[in-house]
Amino acid sequence: MRDQPSPEMQAMAELLRANGIFNGGTLDVAALRSGMNDGALPLPEGATRSDFERDGLKLTHIGSADARSDRGILYFHGGGYVLGSLDSHAELMARVASACRAPVLGLDYRLAPEHPYPAAVDDAVASYERLLDQGIAPEAIVLAGDSAGGGLVLACLLALKQAGKPLPAGAILFSPWTDLTASGASTDNRAAVDPMVSAALLAPMAAHYAGATDAGTPLISPLFGELNDLPPLLIQVGDHEILLDDSTRLAQRAEAADVDVTLEIYPGAFHVFQSMPQVPESAEALATAAAFFDRVMP
């Protein structure tokens, strides 16, 4: 991993800071949802996409030219539990599929405030159980997600463990939002350098998602869950994120629980930088994610 951010990373951070799309203090859900979809990047060459609905779940199958059919990734998109869609994250899922040489199944889980907790967790668990019901072995599945989707991956793992269900081979977390109570020190000490996310924006998102439930509940803030017996975790986060401590504390707690955990902190990187192919760190991060994927596969 490089010691300094690339020039492209620095330039993109400055552009994000100047635009201030997501780091303002006002949560206009409709406008932000529309903006994320309108700004979606096209699928890379060679990628395929097929949308479908099964058992009330909205899903998309993302394939790549050299994907293997004997293993796959179940992906939960980010967006603070109130934003994001299969459209906004299809390009990232396609590059994940290409890097890992495996198909990606993306879930369009229900969003708050229309559908607060536990709707997203219920949808995540149902999508995984559907794969098992189709005869797919849990050891052939890796869960992955970014931001709130990364937190949802962890919440899904905790819910599956509580229910006594077999767990997947591993989990890949891009800048996961694991603490909706905002108790991490980075909420304050990274505020001046984070070009994308602000505490003022995250607070209403957390309130919309938690609804009447305490935001510290482990299935809402999985940082506070019992992490023992979870499968291997790969956590990637930028050093310039107010959510940095959501990853560092997760890694510390997972290691204390004897979980196989790998934490990668990218210098000068912003929230979910993997979603921007313009920065070289994005390809580097997906390459290490692919190596992790290959390691945990049987």
Side-chain angles (χ1 to χ4, degrees):
M1 188 184 304
R2 61 181 68 215
D3 297 327
Q4 299 292 329
S6 67
E8 294 87 347
M9 177 72 77
Q10 294 173 314
M12 184 60 71
E14 288 304 315
L15 180 62
L16 290 170
R17 189 172 288 109
N19 288 338
I21 297 175
F22 294 109
N23 60 3
T26 302
L27 179 62
D28 186 333
V29 173
L32 289 175
R33 284 178 180 173
S34 177
M36 284 189 73
N37 287 334
D38 291 344
L41 297 174
L43 291 183
E45 185 177 354
T48 61
R49 174 180 175 180
S50 177
D51 296 345
F52 60 100
E53 186 171 342
R54 295 289 187 277
D55 304 321
L57 299 172
K58 296 179 180 179
L59 305 154
T60 191
H61 181 281
I62 304 287
S64 65
D66 56 351
R68 294 173 50 171
S69 61
D70 59 341
R71 57 188 195 174
I73 297 166
L74 177 59
Y75 196 94
F76 305 146
H77 68 77
Y81 293 108
V82 302
L83 312 174
S85 67
L86 299 178
D87 290 337
S88 66
H89 283 69
E91 193 275 341
L92 174 57
M93 289 189 286
R95 286 189 291 114
V96 170
S98 178
C100 295
R101 295 175 294 113
V104 171
L105 183 67
L107 170 67
D108 198 11
Y109 56 88
R110 289 171 291 169
L111 298 177
E114 299 91 339
H115 304 284
Y117 169 83
V121 178
D122 290 344
D123 289 354
V125 170
S127 65
Y128 176 77
E129 291 181 335
R130 181 179 177 276
L131 294 177
L132 300 186
D133 291 342
Q134 290 182 307
I136 299 175
E139 58 268 21
I141 304 169
V142 163
L143 302 189
D146 64 276
S147 191
L152 184 56
V153 165
L154 282 173
C156 182
L157 292 175
L158 293 176
L160 291 169
K161 186 180 73 167
Q162 291 173 7
K165 300 288 185 178
L167 299 181
I172 299 171
L173 313 175
F174 301 148
S175 301
W177 191 19
T178 66
D179 175 15
L180 275 66
T181 72
S183 64
S186 59
T187 302
D188 294 322
N189 64 33
R190 291 299 192 277
V193 295
D194 191 324
M196 181 175 284
V197 182
S198 71
L201 184 67
L202 290 181
M205 288 181 170
H208 279 320
Y209 180 58
T213 308
D214 182 355
T217 301
L219 291 187
I220 295 177
S221 295
L223 174 68
F224 306 123
E226 296 294 332
L227 305 180
N228 56 292
D229 301 320
L230 292 188
L233 306 176
L234 171 65
I235 308 167
Q236 297 179 342
V237 66
D239 184 56
H240 283 187
E241 297 192 42
I242 65 169
L243 295 182
L244 173 62
D245 284 359
D246 283 42
S247 289
T248 57
R249 290 181 296 161
L250 172 62
Q252 292 166 357
R253 295 198 70 246
E255 186 175 11
D258 293 324
V259 175
D260 176 353
V261 58
T262 302
L263 172 66
E264 296 180 347
I265 302 176
Y266 286 75
F270 47 77
H271 191 59
V272 196
F273 63 91
Q274 298 89 343
S275 67
M276 297 190 179
Q278 304 95 321
V279 300
E281 286 90 341
S282 178
E284 293 164 9
L286 294 191
T288 63
F292 170 85
F293 181 80
D294 285 338
R295 176 170 71 83
V296 301
M297 283 289 105

